Amino acid sequence: MSVPVQETRLRAAGRLCPPPLIREHRIPTPGAKPYIAVEGPDGALWFCESGASKIGRLDPKSYAFTEFDLPTANATPIGITVGADGNLWFAEKAANRIGRITPQGQIAEFPLPTPDAGPDGMILGPDGNVWFSETDADAIGRITPEGKITEFKTGISPGGKPLSIAVRDGMLWFSEAAGNRIGCITVDGRVTEYPIPGRDSQPRAMVTHPDGSIWFVQTSSNALGRIDRAGNIRQYVIPTPNASLRGVTVGADGDLWFTENVANKIGRMAADGTLIGEYDIPTPQSGARCIAALADGRLFFTQYDAGLIGEVIPQ
């Protein structure tokens, strides 16, 4: 359901957004525990099945699933992104490896130099390499298309636990989930950190907006955060208490769409910070995590606890 007060504000500005249509699609493998998802080079939704040690693929036209077993059992794949080589790269958190899968399903794995580094977030960097967080090593890693890995630790505060990564202005920006900071690293490894106002906000998922701002969820502060190019941070609190925000993306409309894990809702916010609405997910306690935008305007989100892929169709 939408939030009447916020809809009244939008109506006065000449914009009324009706609730979106939400559908759900069940993953074939029980206990899949889908986590991060991304649109692949083939237009399909690719996602990590962290509970089944698989990479999944959902055809957005036929809604057919394809699943690919990883060579390493209990690898716990988490983050996934598309590389410059047209393949998909993913983080195997428990196996301490970076994986690569072609659109045809061929898989290769690359072990990390640092033991128990806990690779997590992934993104294609401005240099054509894939960059990733090493949450348990307080480091940011880089892997070339050929599989060469470099790790950067200098300048990242101990105990920060880097998590999600976004790209802006030729640099990598990352959330420090335990450090209450947003970090920035250049492609040659120089780090700057920006403290988030307040305490223990637990920043997680990040996304770059077309206007140049970076938005991120603050799970413990129950808010969306925004950091501009100067490093200034603003926070927008969500009215539903203890919603546990986990994922955020930018829709084709320029709005921020985000998941509320505990509240079991999908939220929508305008780029000026105006909340448009919060919408109930059909399956109770589904464990909404990542939300990803496709080029056609549809949005898909992972339902970790329910083993589902949700679909949001803006109206």
Side-chain angles (χ1 to χ4, degrees), residues 67-145:
E67 297 174 289
F68 303 94
D69 292 314
L70 299 185
T72 302
N74 303 314
T76 315
I78 298 287
I80 187 169
T81 194
V82 179
D85 56 0
N87 297 315
L88 295 111
W89 294 74
F90 53 94
E92 299 181 25
K93 195 174 185 73
N96 206 50
R97 300 165 184 254
I98 299 300
R100 182 185 66 203
I101 183 170
T102 69
Q104 295 75 37
Q106 297 172 317
I107 297 173
E109 296 175 311
F110 305 91
L112 296 182
T114 299
D116 304 316
D120 200 303
M122 308 277 291
I123 198 161
L124 175 62
D127 56 355
N129 298 311
V130 169
W131 291 69
F132 55 94
S133 61
E134 295 186 1
T135 303
D136 298 329
D138 290 323
I140 298 296
R142 180 184 68 200
I143 186 167
T144 67

Side-chain angles (χ1 to χ4, degrees), residues 23-27 29 32-35 47 58 65 281-284 286-289 301-311:
R23 298 172 177 162
E24 297 175 310
H25 311 280
R26 182 161 298 281
I27 299 168
T29 298
K33 297 188 181 300
Y35 220 104
F47 57 94
L58 174 63
F65 282 95
I281 296 170
T283 297
S286 68
R289 293 292 199 273
F301 62 98
T302 57
Q303 296 171 262
Y304 181 89
D305 296 322
L308 301 168
I309 298 294
E311 178 183 7

